[in-house]
PDB file of all heavy atoms in Angstrom:
ATOM      1  N   ASP A 294      16.905 130.906  81.689  1.00 98.00           N
ATOM      2  CA  ASP A 294      18.000 131.881  81.678  1.00 98.00           C
ATOM      3  C   ASP A 294      18.613 131.864  83.082  1.00 98.00           C
ATOM      4  O   ASP A 294      18.209 132.603  83.962  1.00 98.00           O
ATOM      5  CB  ASP A 294      17.455 133.256  81.302  1.00 98.00           C
ATOM      6  CG  ASP A 294      18.561 134.293  81.182  1.00 98.00           C
ATOM      7  OD1 ASP A 294      19.735 133.943  81.381  1.00 98.00           O
ATOM      8  OD2 ASP A 294      18.234 135.457  80.900  1.00 98.00           O
ATOM      9  N   MET A 295      19.603 131.007  83.268  1.00 97.00           N
ATOM     10  CA  MET A 295      20.103 130.708  84.613  1.00 97.00           C
ATOM     11  C   MET A 295      21.065 131.795  85.106  1.00 97.00           C
ATOM     12  O   MET A 295      21.780 132.433  84.312  1.00 97.00           O
ATOM     13  CB  MET A 295      20.818 129.353  84.622  1.00 97.00           C
ATOM     14  CG  MET A 295      19.905 128.191  84.280  1.00 97.00           C
ATOM     15  SD  MET A 295      18.506 127.978  85.414  1.00 97.00           S
ATOM     16  CE  MET A 295      19.352 127.612  86.952  1.00 97.00           C
ATOM     17  N   CYS A 296      21.063 131.966  86.420  1.00 97.00           N
ATOM     18  CA  CYS A 296      21.967 132.926  87.058  1.00 97.00           C
ATOM     19  C   CYS A 296      22.169 132.425  88.489  1.00 97.00           C
ATOM     20  O   CYS A 296      21.528 132.893  89.411  1.00 97.00           O
ATOM     21  CB  CYS A 296      21.349 134.324  87.035  1.00 97.00           C
ATOM     22  SG  CYS A 296      22.434 135.622  87.591  1.00 97.00           S
ATOM     23  N   VAL A 297      23.032 131.424  88.657  1.00 98.00           N
ATOM     24  CA  VAL A 297      23.236 130.809  89.964  1.00 98.00           C
ATOM     25  C   VAL A 297      24.312 131.593  90.701  1.00 98.00           C
ATOM     26  O   VAL A 297      25.507 131.446  90.401  1.00 98.00           O
ATOM     27  CB  VAL A 297      23.614 129.319  89.818  1.00 98.00           C
ATOM     28  CG1 VAL A 297      23.859 128.694  91.183  1.00 98.00           C
ATOM     29  CG2 VAL A 297      22.513 128.552  89.081  1.00 98.00           C
ATOM     30  N   ASP A 298      23.882 132.466  91.591  1.00 97.00           N
ATOM     31  CA  ASP A 298      24.790 133.289  92.386  1.00 97.00           C
ATOM     32  C   ASP A 298      25.736 134.104  91.510  1.00 97.00           C
ATOM     33  O   ASP A 298      26.930 134.220  91.791  1.00 97.00           O
ATOM     34  CB  ASP A 298      25.588 132.421  93.370  1.00 97.00           C
ATOM     35  CG  ASP A 298      25.519 132.985  94.781  1.00 97.00           C
ATOM     36  OD1 ASP A 298      25.065 134.125  94.931  1.00 97.00           O
ATOM     37  OD2 ASP A 298      25.900 132.282  95.722  1.00 97.00           O
ATOM     38  N   GLY A 299      25.210 134.633  90.416  1.00 97.00           N
ATOM     39  CA  GLY A 299      26.017 135.443  89.502  1.00 97.00           C
ATOM     40  C   GLY A 299      25.855 134.945  88.082  1.00 97.00           C
ATOM     41  O   GLY A 299      25.360 133.837  87.859  1.00 97.00           O
ATOM     42  N   PRO A 300      26.265 135.760  87.117  1.00 96.00           N
ATOM     43  CA  PRO A 300      25.992 135.393  85.717  1.00 96.00           C
ATOM     44  C   PRO A 300      26.905 134.317  85.151  1.00 96.00           C
ATOM     45  O   PRO A 300      26.508 133.617  84.213  1.00 96.00           O
ATOM     46  CB  PRO A 300      26.191 136.727  84.979  1.00 96.00           C
ATOM     47  CG  PRO A 300      27.106 137.518  85.850  1.00 96.00           C
ATOM     48  CD  PRO A 300      26.816 137.116  87.257  1.00 96.00           C
ATOM     49  N   ALA A 301      28.097 134.148  85.661  1.00 98.00           N
ATOM     50  CA  ALA A 301      29.043 133.201  85.044  1.00 98.00           C
ATOM     51  C   ALA A 301      28.790 131.801  85.592  1.00 98.00           C
ATOM     52  O   ALA A 301      29.182 131.465  86.716  1.00 98.00           O
ATOM     53  CB  ALA A 301      30.486 133.631  85.329  1.00 98.00           C
ATOM     54  N   ASN A 302      28.127 130.970  84.815  1.00 98.00           N
ATOM     55  CA  ASN A 302      27.755 129.617  85.228  1.00 98.00           C
ATOM     56  C   ASN A 302      28.337 128.589  84.252  1.00 98.00           C
ATOM     57  O   ASN A 302      28.747 128.923  83.136  1.00 98.00           O
ATOM     58  CB  ASN A 302      26.246 129.457  85.258  1.00 98.00           C
ATOM     59  CG  ASN A 302      25.550 130.222  86.388  1.00 98.00           C
ATOM     60  OD1 ASN A 302      24.328 130.271  86.444  1.00 98.00           O
ATOM     61  ND2 ASN A 302      26.325 130.825  87.284  1.00 98.00           N
ATOM     62  N   SER A 303      28.345 127.329  84.712  1.00 98.00           N
ATOM     63  CA  SER A 303      28.697 126.187  83.868  1.00 98.00           C
ATOM     64  C   SER A 303      27.645 125.102  84.091  1.00 98.00           C
ATOM     65  O   SER A 303      26.868 125.173  85.047  1.00 98.00           O
ATOM     66  CB  SER A 303      30.076 125.619  84.227  1.00 98.00           C
ATOM     67  OG  SER A 303      31.110 126.548  83.945  1.00 98.00           O
ATOM     68  N   ARG A 350      23.573 119.661  86.278  1.00 98.00           N
ATOM     69  CA  ARG A 350      23.886 120.561  87.376  1.00 98.00           C
ATOM     70  C   ARG A 350      24.345 121.900  86.809  1.00 98.00           C
ATOM     71  O   ARG A 350      25.340 121.939  86.067  1.00 98.00           O
ATOM     72  CB  ARG A 350      24.984 119.916  88.223  1.00 98.00           C
ATOM     73  CG  ARG A 350      25.093 120.356  89.655  1.00 98.00           C
ATOM     74  CD  ARG A 350      24.144 119.609  90.600  1.00 98.00           C
ATOM     75  NE  ARG A 350      24.446 118.193  90.737  1.00 98.00           N
ATOM     76  CZ  ARG A 350      25.392 117.670  91.507  1.00 98.00           C
ATOM     77  NH1 ARG A 350      26.176 118.460  92.212  1.00 98.00           N
ATOM     78  NH2 ARG A 350      25.559 116.367  91.582  1.00 98.00           N
ATOM     79  N   ILE A 351      23.639 122.962  87.134  1.00 98.00           N
ATOM     80  CA  ILE A 351      24.047 124.309  86.733  1.00 98.00           C
ATOM     81  C   ILE A 351      24.754 124.908  87.932  1.00 98.00           C
ATOM     82  O   ILE A 351      24.156 125.052  88.995  1.00 98.00           O
ATOM     83  CB  ILE A 351      22.829 125.158  86.325  1.00 98.00           C
ATOM     84  CG1 ILE A 351      22.072 124.464  85.182  1.00 98.00           C
ATOM     85  CG2 ILE A 351      23.268 126.533  85.883  1.00 98.00           C
ATOM     86  CD1 ILE A 351      20.752 123.854  85.575  1.00 98.00           C
ATOM     87  N   PHE A 352      26.034 125.245  87.774  1.00 98.00           N
ATOM     88  CA  PHE A 352      26.812 125.671  88.930  1.00 98.00           C
ATOM     89  C   PHE A 352      27.621 126.924  88.624  1.00 98.00           C
ATOM     90  O   PHE A 352      27.854 127.279  87.468  1.00 98.00           O
ATOM     91  CB  PHE A 352      27.722 124.536  89.437  1.00 98.00           C
ATOM     92  CG  PHE A 352      28.795 124.095  88.456  1.00 98.00           C
ATOM     93  CD1 PHE A 352      30.095 124.573  88.565  1.00 98.00           C
ATOM     94  CD2 PHE A 352      28.514 123.182  87.461  1.00 98.00           C
ATOM     95  CE1 PHE A 352      31.090 124.151  87.699  1.00 98.00           C
ATOM     96  CE2 PHE A 352      29.494 122.769  86.568  1.00 98.00           C
ATOM     97  CZ  PHE A 352      30.789 123.250  86.680  1.00 98.00           C
ATOM     98  N   ASN A 353      28.013 127.576  89.709  1.00 98.00           N
ATOM     99  CA  ASN A 353      28.883 128.755  89.595  1.00 98.00           C
ATOM    100  C   ASN A 353      30.281 128.340  90.075  1.00 98.00           C
ATOM    101  O   ASN A 353      30.475 128.104  91.270  1.00 98.00           O
ATOM    102  CB  ASN A 353      28.342 129.899  90.457  1.00 98.00           C
ATOM    103  CG  ASN A 353      29.116 131.182  90.228  1.00 98.00           C
ATOM    104  OD1 ASN A 353      30.324 131.165  89.971  1.00 98.00           O
ATOM    105  ND2 ASN A 353      28.431 132.306  90.329  1.00 98.00           N
ATOM    106  N   PRO A 354      31.230 128.218  89.138  1.00 98.00           N
ATOM    107  CA  PRO A 354      32.552 127.716  89.532  1.00 98.00           C
ATOM    108  C   PRO A 354      33.306 128.641  90.480  1.00 98.00           C
ATOM    109  O   PRO A 354      34.269 128.221  91.116  1.00 98.00           O
ATOM    110  CB  PRO A 354      33.299 127.593  88.196  1.00 98.00           C
ATOM    111  CG  PRO A 354      32.397 128.036  87.119  1.00 98.00           C
ATOM    112  CD  PRO A 354      31.137 128.559  87.721  1.00 98.00           C
ATOM    113  N   VAL A 356      31.899 130.432  93.113  1.00 98.00           N
ATOM    114  CA  VAL A 356      31.288 130.634  94.431  1.00 98.00           C
ATOM    115  C   VAL A 356      31.174 129.272  95.114  1.00 98.00           C
ATOM    116  O   VAL A 356      30.614 128.328  94.544  1.00 98.00           O
ATOM    117  CB  VAL A 356      29.887 131.286  94.308  1.00 98.00           C
ATOM    118  CG1 VAL A 356      29.279 131.484  95.691  1.00 98.00           C
ATOM    119  CG2 VAL A 356      29.982 132.622  93.558  1.00 98.00           C
ATOM    120  N   PRO A 363      31.182 124.099  94.491  1.00 98.00           N
ATOM    121  CA  PRO A 363      30.487 125.191  93.795  1.00 98.00           C
ATOM    122  C   PRO A 363      28.985 125.156  94.088  1.00 98.00           C
ATOM    123  O   PRO A 363      28.374 124.083  94.110  1.00 98.00           O
ATOM    124  CB  PRO A 363      30.762 124.891  92.310  1.00 98.00           C
ATOM    125  CG  PRO A 363      31.944 123.977  92.291  1.00 98.00           C
ATOM    126  CD  PRO A 363      31.879 123.185  93.568  1.00 98.00           C
ATOM    127  N   VAL A 364      28.420 126.319  94.303  1.00 98.00           N
ATOM    128  CA  VAL A 364      26.964 126.390  94.484  1.00 98.00           C
ATOM    129  C   VAL A 364      26.285 125.979  93.180  1.00 98.00           C
ATOM    130  O   VAL A 364      26.756 126.287  92.094  1.00 98.00           O
ATOM    131  CB  VAL A 364      26.508 127.804  94.902  1.00 98.00           C
ATOM    132  CG1 VAL A 364      26.987 128.128  96.295  1.00 98.00           C
ATOM    133  CG2 VAL A 364      26.982 128.858  93.915  1.00 98.00           C
ATOM    134  N   SER A 365      25.146 125.240  93.306  1.00 98.00           N
ATOM    135  CA  SER A 365      24.527 124.748  92.078  1.00 98.00           C
ATOM    136  C   SER A 365      23.045 124.528  92.251  1.00 98.00           C
ATOM    137  O   SER A 365      22.522 124.442  93.372  1.00 98.00           O
ATOM    138  CB  SER A 365      25.187 123.447  91.611  1.00 98.00           C
ATOM    139  OG  SER A 365      24.725 122.329  92.326  1.00 98.00           O
ATOM    140  N   TYR A 366      22.364 124.421  91.110  1.00 98.00           N
ATOM    141  CA  TYR A 366      21.000 123.948  91.014  1.00 98.00           C
ATOM    142  C   TYR A 366      20.986 122.710  90.130  1.00 98.00           C
ATOM    143  O   TYR A 366      21.762 122.609  89.182  1.00 98.00           O
ATOM    144  CB  TYR A 366      20.062 125.018  90.427  1.00 98.00           C
ATOM    145  CG  TYR A 366      19.343 125.807  91.486  1.00 98.00           C
ATOM    146  CD1 TYR A 366      20.035 126.708  92.293  1.00 98.00           C
ATOM    147  CD2 TYR A 366      17.987 125.632  91.696  1.00 98.00           C
ATOM    148  CE1 TYR A 366      19.367 127.415  93.276  1.00 98.00           C
ATOM    149  CE2 TYR A 366      17.307 126.361  92.676  1.00 98.00           C
ATOM    150  CZ  TYR A 366      18.011 127.241  93.463  1.00 98.00           C
ATOM    151  OH  TYR A 366      17.358 127.939  94.448  1.00 98.00           O
ATOM    152  N   LYS A 367      20.107 121.766  90.480  1.00 98.00           N
ATOM    153  CA  LYS A 367      20.006 120.510  89.750  1.00 98.00           C
ATOM    154  C   LYS A 367      18.743 120.509  88.901  1.00 98.00           C
ATOM    155  O   LYS A 367      17.652 120.776  89.409  1.00 98.00           O
ATOM    156  CB  LYS A 367      19.953 119.356  90.755  1.00 98.00           C
ATOM    157  CG  LYS A 367      19.729 117.987  90.155  1.00 98.00           C
ATOM    158  CD  LYS A 367      19.757 116.897  91.226  1.00 98.00           C
ATOM    159  CE  LYS A 367      18.499 116.849  92.067  1.00 98.00           C
ATOM    160  NZ  LYS A 367      18.446 115.658  92.948  1.00 98.00           N
ATOM    161  N   PHE A 468      21.052 122.464  94.758  1.00 98.00           N
ATOM    162  CA  PHE A 468      21.970 121.364  95.127  1.00 98.00           C
ATOM    163  C   PHE A 468      23.246 122.007  95.657  1.00 98.00           C
ATOM    164  O   PHE A 468      24.138 122.357  94.900  1.00 98.00           O
ATOM    165  CB  PHE A 468      22.248 120.471  93.914  1.00 98.00           C
ATOM    166  CG  PHE A 468      22.851 119.136  94.265  1.00 98.00           C
ATOM    167  CD1 PHE A 468      22.125 117.976  94.095  1.00 98.00           C
ATOM    168  CD2 PHE A 468      24.140 119.044  94.781  1.00 98.00           C
ATOM    169  CE1 PHE A 468      22.661 116.740  94.436  1.00 98.00           C
ATOM    170  CE2 PHE A 468      24.679 117.830  95.132  1.00 98.00           C
ATOM    171  CZ  PHE A 468      23.941 116.675  94.949  1.00 98.00           C
ATOM    172  N   GLY A 469      23.324 122.146  96.983  1.00 98.00           N
ATOM    173  CA  GLY A 469      24.477 122.847  97.561  1.00 98.00           C
ATOM    174  C   GLY A 469      24.430 124.339  97.315  1.00 98.00           C
ATOM    175  O   GLY A 469      25.461 124.999  97.372  1.00 98.00           O
ATOM    176  N   PHE A 470      23.256 124.847  97.032  1.00 97.00           N
ATOM    177  CA  PHE A 470      23.107 126.305  96.915  1.00 97.00           C
ATOM    178  C   PHE A 470      22.975 126.906  98.315  1.00 97.00           C
ATOM    179  O   PHE A 470      23.539 127.942  98.612  1.00 97.00           O
ATOM    180  CB  PHE A 470      21.901 126.625  96.060  1.00 97.00           C
ATOM    181  CG  PHE A 470      21.738 128.096  95.768  1.00 97.00           C
ATOM    182  CD1 PHE A 470      22.467 128.701  94.764  1.00 97.00           C
ATOM    183  CD2 PHE A 470      20.853 128.869  96.507  1.00 97.00           C
ATOM    184  CE1 PHE A 470      22.334 130.060  94.502  1.00 97.00           C
ATOM    185  CE2 PHE A 470      20.717 130.223  96.252  1.00 97.00           C
ATOM    186  CZ  PHE A 470      21.450 130.815  95.250  1.00 97.00           C
TER     187      PHE A 470
END
Side-chain angles (χ1 to χ4, degrees):
D294 184 1
M295 298 300 296
C296 188
V297 179
D298 231 347
N302 290 173
S303 295
R350 204 84 65 80
I351 302 107
F352 64 98
N353 187 327
V356 180
V364 292
S365 79
Y366 264 70
K367 175 177 76 171
F468 196 111
F470 186 81

